[in-house]
């Protein structure tokens, strides 16, 4: 079972990964975007860290994810803020107010969260978005957390030859081909952070 401390550690690992990789995410967003993805997520996740620090210690897993999601929505200006905010809010809502959640419940909740992202953005796998990492990553949670991290990283890499059909990169048409999607790359960071947190014990 995974308790609130596990979710705090996951979100902190995600924040640390965004801090480490922010420059690379912004570089990826330069040829097929407006060079702000790393900055957007850094602003958002630093605000998440502050919000979690200020949250009541007994806040349950679902409450922590909803708080993180609300914080991303209110602090990230780009398209990715509402999308990641929706992912975490919806996942948190699915978990309800249970003090501890099973790996199976977390997998189902993340699946619902990814579905909400797809509905909000109107995108599907193959459109060269964060869904190209999130969908295979969450599907591989049925195998293991490490498999989810691997599948998300492979999914992010697989966006390079894709033609973007959603978001800013889609304005480039054929010129979007040959570049890895920044949002798929950051989604892989989030799922790798989850895998590292799960493997680190708890
Ligand atoms: P913006 O495009 O507003 O500058 P960001 O640079 O922070 O926002 O995020 C860009 C990322 O958001 C893209 O790389 C892509 O993965 C993701 N994205 C954009 N539009 C959509 C969408 N409709 N559905 C899913 N993901 C999207
Ligand atoms: Mg951008």
């Amino acid at each position: 079972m995974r308790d609130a401390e596990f979710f705090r550690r996951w979100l902190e690992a995600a924040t640390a990964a965004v801090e480490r990789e922010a420059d690379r995410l912004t570089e990826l967003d330069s040829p097929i975007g407006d060079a702000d993805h790393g900055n957007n997520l850094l602003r958002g996740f630093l605000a998440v860290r502050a919000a979690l620090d200020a949250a009541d210690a007994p806040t349950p897993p679902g409450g922590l994810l909803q708080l993180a999601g609300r914080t991303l929505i209110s602090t990230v200006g780009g398209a990715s803020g509402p999308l990641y905010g929706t992912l975490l809010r919806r996942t948190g809502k699915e978990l309800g107010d249970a003090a501890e959640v099973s790996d199976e419940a977390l997998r189902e909740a993340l699946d619902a969260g990814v579905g909400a992202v797809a509905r909000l953005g109107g995108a599907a796998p193959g459109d060269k978005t964060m869904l190209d990492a999130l969908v295979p990553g969450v599907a591989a949670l049925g195998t293991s957390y490490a498999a989810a991290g691997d599948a998300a990283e492979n999914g992010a890499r697989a966006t390079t030859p894709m033609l973007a059909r959603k978001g800013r990169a889609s304005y480039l048409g054929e010129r979007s081909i040959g570049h890895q999607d920044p949002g798929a790359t950051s989604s892989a960071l989030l799922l790798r952070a989850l895998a590292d947190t799960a493997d680190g014990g708890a």
Side-chain angles (χ1 to χ4, degrees), residues 29 34 36-37 40 78-80 83 121 123 129-130 166-168 181-183:
D29 195 34
D34 55 353
D36 65 356
H37 189 57
N40 283 343
S80 60
L83 291 163
T129 71
M130 57 177 68
K166 292 287 168 189
R168 229 174 252 285
D181 181 62

Side-chain angles (χ1 to χ4, degrees), residues 17-19 21-45 72 75-84 129-130 168 180-190:
V18 167
E19 278 185 303
E21 300 289 332
D23 288 350
R24 181 165 113 84
L25 294 173
T26 288
E27 269 166 36
L28 290 172
D29 195 34
S30 162
I32 57 168
D34 55 353
D36 65 356
H37 189 57
N39 299 339
N40 283 343
L41 288 191
L42 187 56
R43 188 179 334 109
F45 275 90
L72 290 179
T75 56
V76 179
S80 60
L83 291 163
Y84 277 129
T129 71
M130 57 177 68
R168 229 174 252 285
Q180 185 168 318
D181 181 62
T185 308
S186 56
S187 287
L189 292 180
L190 298 193

Side-chain angles (χ1 to χ4, degrees), residues 86-185:
T86 294
L87 173 69
L88 296 182
R89 277 182 64 183
R90 180 59 199 270
T91 301
K93 239 182 219 165
E94 292 289 317
L95 295 178
D97 55 11
E100 297 193 326
V101 301
S102 67
D103 289 331
E104 177 61 13
L106 176 54
R107 191 184 65 72
E108 283 174 10
L110 279 167
D111 203 46
V114 171
V117 171
R119 276 192 301 283
L120 176 66
D127 288 344
K128 197 180 182 96
T129 71
M130 57 177 68
L131 288 171
D132 288 301
L134 291 175
V135 169
V138 170
L141 278 175
T143 305
S144 70
Y145 284 99
D150 292 347
E153 284 165 8
N154 289 335
R157 276 194 289 272
T159 60
T160 301
M162 290 178 186
L163 175 88
R165 291 200 194 82
K166 292 287 168 189
R168 229 174 252 285
S170 67
Y171 309 156
L172 292 174
E174 302 270 326
R175 281 182 294 135
S176 65
I177 293 173
H179 304 280
Q180 185 168 318
D181 181 62
T185 308

